[in-house]
């Protein structure tokens, strides 16, 4: 847990969004809040509740109490009204405020909320002080309705594999927005809004558990280490890009065209043995010979993946992958946000890491399609083992959605920044 910086202290504990003037249109943060606003205007509270059962909600918790509770249920904040009613506040994802160092938000399904809302609470206030606010009187019967709707409607899988875009509150065109777009694969897979900096993710405990279980990150120092290594592209094995780099050099010397696979394998082996000799490393040790053989075989693995990528439209007919840098860079973009969600990172550190991801991506690639192909190959080399199973199918689905959905960042954020390349700056929707 980092010590809060002065510029992180603010008064945005809870959302405060003014209602539009009479007859004016309200631009909601996301499609979810826009739909809830419509339901409010038609006085359809039951449909509103059904929507919450599908999406879940977030509730505020003091950060010290959240940490002390550990894996136990975190105590929900409640407040008293002047007429003696006890109110519990919950919010949908698009309306969550800027993260505060002393307050966190936890995610809960409507079914879980039945247990989380303390006895004695009279009112559930949803999106209070916003144009799509709704209030529900709580009784035993009402809690039963929450459980019934949860069992009928909730599916965690339905919240994944989708493009979610914020309409308001996103950063302006520039390195931050571009860096956020670098994490689009993971945002799609998790159903997260790709362009939000007010990151709460799966809720505080969910973010802590996510990077602990998947990344071994249990505190600030762990986060700083993995964030740096991802941005430096040192998490993936170095030899993946070593093998790809051998082909890049052959193509450079040839002026393009195609490289003979055996010549590529021989170049990999010759370069590897030469470097070992230069550094006084083993050149004929059995373990080293096995490593050389593994890298020679990696050439075939890459060629087979690329052939499948071309067949599936992930690469153009004559395309190939120059580097798998995107596999680390894309995850670095999300790790920055996960670090803030777990309160291991400051806002400034998150912003800097996201901008660094943008710089690294533009240094390695020329387009989002090329970036995506590098990301997919890295993921497949890491997980798939040439099975072309779910590890490949899932990310292929993401690639197709992100390269075709009109709301995708890859169709709304140009890959090259004008300041760096002379191209149009990011964030302009193509005509």
């Amino acid at each position: 847990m980092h010590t809060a910086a002065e510029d992180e202290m603010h008064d945005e504990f809870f959302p405060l969004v003014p209602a539009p003037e009479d007859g004016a249109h309200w631009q909601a943060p996301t499609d979810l809040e826009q739909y809830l606003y419509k339901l409010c205007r038609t006085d359809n509270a039951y449909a509103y509740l059904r929507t919450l059962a599908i999406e879940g909600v977030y509730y505020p918790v003091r950060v010290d109490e959240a940490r002390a509770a550990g894996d136990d249920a975190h105590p929900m904040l409640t407040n008293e009204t002047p007429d003696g009613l006890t109110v519990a506040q919950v919010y949908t994802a698009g309306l969550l405020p800027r993260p505060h160092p002393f307050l966190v938000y936890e995610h809960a399904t409507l079914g879980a909320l039945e247990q989380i809302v303390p006895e004695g609470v009279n009112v559930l206030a949803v999106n209070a002080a916003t144009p799509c606010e709704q209030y529900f009187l709580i009784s035993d019967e009402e809690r039963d309705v929450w459980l019934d709707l949860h069992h009928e409607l909730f599916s965690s899988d339905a919240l994944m594999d989708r493009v979610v875009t914020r309409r308001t509150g996103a950063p302006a065109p520039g390195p931050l927005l571009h860096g956020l777009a670098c994490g689009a694969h993971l945002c799609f897979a998790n159903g997260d809004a790709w362009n939000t900096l007010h990151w709460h993710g799966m809720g505080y405990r969910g973010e802590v558990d996510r990077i602990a279980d998947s990344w071994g990150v249990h505190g600030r120092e762990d986060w700083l280490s993995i964030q740096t290594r991802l941005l430096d592209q040192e998490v993936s094995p170095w030899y993946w890009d070593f093998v790809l780099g051998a082909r890049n050099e052959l193509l450079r010397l040839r002026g393009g065209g195609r490289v003979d696979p055996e010549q590529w394998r021989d170049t990999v082996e010759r370069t590897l043995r030469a470097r070992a000799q230069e550094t006084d490393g083993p050149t004929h040790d059995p373990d080293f010979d096995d490593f050389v053989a593994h890298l020679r075989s990696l050439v075939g693995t890459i060629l087979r993946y690329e052939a499948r990528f071309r067949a599936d439209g992930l690469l153009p007919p004559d395309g190939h992958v120059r580097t798998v840098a995107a596999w680390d860079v894309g995850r670095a973009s999300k790790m920055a946000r996960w670090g803030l969600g777990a309160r291991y990172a400051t806002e400034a550190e998150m912003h800097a890491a996201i901008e660094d991801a943008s710089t690294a991506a533009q240094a390695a690639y020329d387009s989002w399609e090329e970036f995506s192909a590098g990301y997919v190959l890295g993921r497949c080399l890491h997980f798939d083992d040439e099975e072309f199973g779910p590890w490949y199918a899932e990310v292929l689905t993401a690639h197709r959605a992100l390269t075709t959905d009109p709301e995708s960042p890859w169709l709304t954020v140009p890959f090259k920044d004008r300041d760096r390349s002379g191209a149009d700056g990011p964030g302009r929707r193509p005509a």
Side-chain angles (χ1 to χ4, degrees), residues 265-392:
R265 294 185 182 94
D266 291 343
T267 300
V268 167
E269 178 171 357
R270 183 170 58 253
T271 305
L272 192 63
R273 291 191 182 279
R275 290 188 180 181
Q277 189 170 24
E278 290 169 2
T279 58
D280 295 324
T283 56
H284 295 289
D285 177 88
D287 290 340
F288 182 73
D289 289 342
D290 288 344
F291 182 61
V292 169
H294 173 65
L295 264 57
R296 288 183 65 95
S297 70
L298 188 58
V299 169
T301 299
I302 291 170
L303 288 170
R304 288 186 289 274
Y305 271 119
E306 289 177 332
R308 179 64 177 268
F309 290 1
R310 295 186 199 100
D312 289 336
L314 204 150
L315 279 174
D318 59 347
H320 64 274
V321 177
R322 291 186 292 112
T323 170
V324 292
W327 176 231
D328 278 1
V329 172
R331 293 183 296 169
S333 173
K334 281 308 289 287
M335 182 58 72
R337 285 168 267 187
W338 293 335
L340 181 64
R343 296 303 191 272
Y344 299 148
T346 67
E347 282 188 334
E349 287 168 337
M350 180 191 74
H351 289 192
I354 290 170
E355 291 186 347
D356 287 346
S358 170
T359 299
Q362 293 189 58
Y365 300 100
D366 295 321
S367 69
W368 287 118
E369 290 81 2
E370 191 180 14
F371 176 90
S372 183
Y375 182 95
V376 175
L377 180 59
R379 176 182 164 105
C380 287
L381 293 176
H382 189 111
F383 290 118
D384 183 63
D385 198 28
E386 287 196 81
E387 294 181 1
F388 298 97
W391 289 110
Y392 173 64

Side-chain angles (χ1 to χ4, degrees), residues 22 24 53 61 67 109 172 202 226 267 286 331 384 386 390 392 409 429:
D22 290 343
V61 179
R67 284 219 275 347
T109 65
M202 298 166 60
I226 194 65
T267 300
R331 293 183 296 169
D384 183 63
E386 287 196 81
Y392 173 64
R429 188 181 298 273

